[in-house]
Amino acid sequence: MIIRRAVTSPWCGRKGHMTEQLKRPLPVRVRRQPDGIPMDDLFRSRPARAALLPRRPPPDEPDLDERPGPALPGWAAVLAGAAALAGAAAVLWGAGAPGRVVLPPREWAALAGCVVVAVVSFGGLTRGRTGSAWVLSLFGRYRGSVRRTGLVWISPFVLRRRMDVRLRHWRSEPIAVVDAEGSALRVVVLVVWSVRDTARALFAVDDHLGYLREQVEAAVARVLSQLPADAFRSDAPTLRDAEAVGDALTRMLAAECRAVGVAVFSAQPTRIEYAPEVAAAMQRRRLAVLDAKHRDSVLTGVIDAVDDTVTRLTSRGLVELDDFERQALVKDLTVAFYTRGGPAPQDQE
């Protein structure tokens, strides 16, 4: 509320005139509620809905970028191990019979070295499979990834974990969401994905598959809340446009899962249906809308047929009608056509 106070000025224009009074408004005081929210803010209109944009993705860790790990071809390890065994056999052969082996310390050291080389060479041999990779770590630190196939040698002193990098698909269970009108829906989504960065998929998150499932539920709830499931009275965009909904889901999931090394190629809803508690009501509403559209189309056809019939009769001079007779003819033709479910097909002249 603005309070105005009259202030008398000591200045007078001419002698005998009344003193001019200046009105100066006082500062506006806004009452506030106990929680500190201004009263005017409580009645402001709600802001417009923001555009559907990807949220800020999780921060990336540069140290977890996938890089090639230390590995050698398997044939080199086999040769090294065979050479070590041959050297150990030569040392033992030179010592004489096994029961009377008497070796100096230098030969014992050579024999022990050959045995260690053979154990390391054969102990590091492993098989690389197509569509899988080995993730290597040493004392909890990432040492690299090996995507080779066939016989490969990896140091036996590092921890090896196999990870599937093939193209995979996952079909979700029915997810409970609501559309823009608040109607309960059940949605099933098919996601096509693969592990792009093995280091991030293993170390950046506890379970990359569980993370993907949670992000699918969050993305579905966000995307499907932007549009109604059906537009009963208009031709507005709806969730029945599976291609547009799938594109929005794919973009959002790809942005959210990039930080954990998962590449999402496609996320398509395979089934969008109403929840059981509202399905019957929505079915009745859809049937009512379809019936109204059918009646409207029939009425439009009847009106067009009546207009064409009256125009032909009068333009060819078959009948002469005044306003009253024209109205009566229109009424009779409308009732006749409408009771038969629409006008009969006319023969082409």
Side-chain angles (χ1 to χ4, degrees), residues 178-194:
V178 295
D179 63 354
E181 296 181 351
S183 302
L185 303 175
R186 295 292 185 270
V187 184
V188 178
V189 182
L190 178 64
V191 183
V192 180
W193 62 282
S194 69

Side-chain angles (χ1 to χ4, degrees), residues 303-321 326 329-330 333 337 344-349:
I303 293 175
D304 293 340
V306 171
D307 179 69
D308 183 67
T309 302
V310 175
T311 302
R312 287 187 178 187
L313 290 175
T314 55
S315 62
R316 295 181 181 181
L318 299 179
V319 293
E320 294 182 358
L321 303 174
R326 182 186 295 272
L329 179 60
V330 168
L333 290 176
F337 287 156
Q346 300 178 356
D347 297 333
Q348 297 293 334
E349 295 182 354

Side-chain angles (χ1 to χ4, degrees), residues 172-177 185-189 220 224 269 271-273:
S172 70
E173 297 293 332
I175 303 174
V177 295
L185 303 175
R186 295 292 185 270
V187 184
V188 178
V189 182
V220 168
L224 270 68
R271 187 171 75 247
I272 300 178
E273 59 186 13

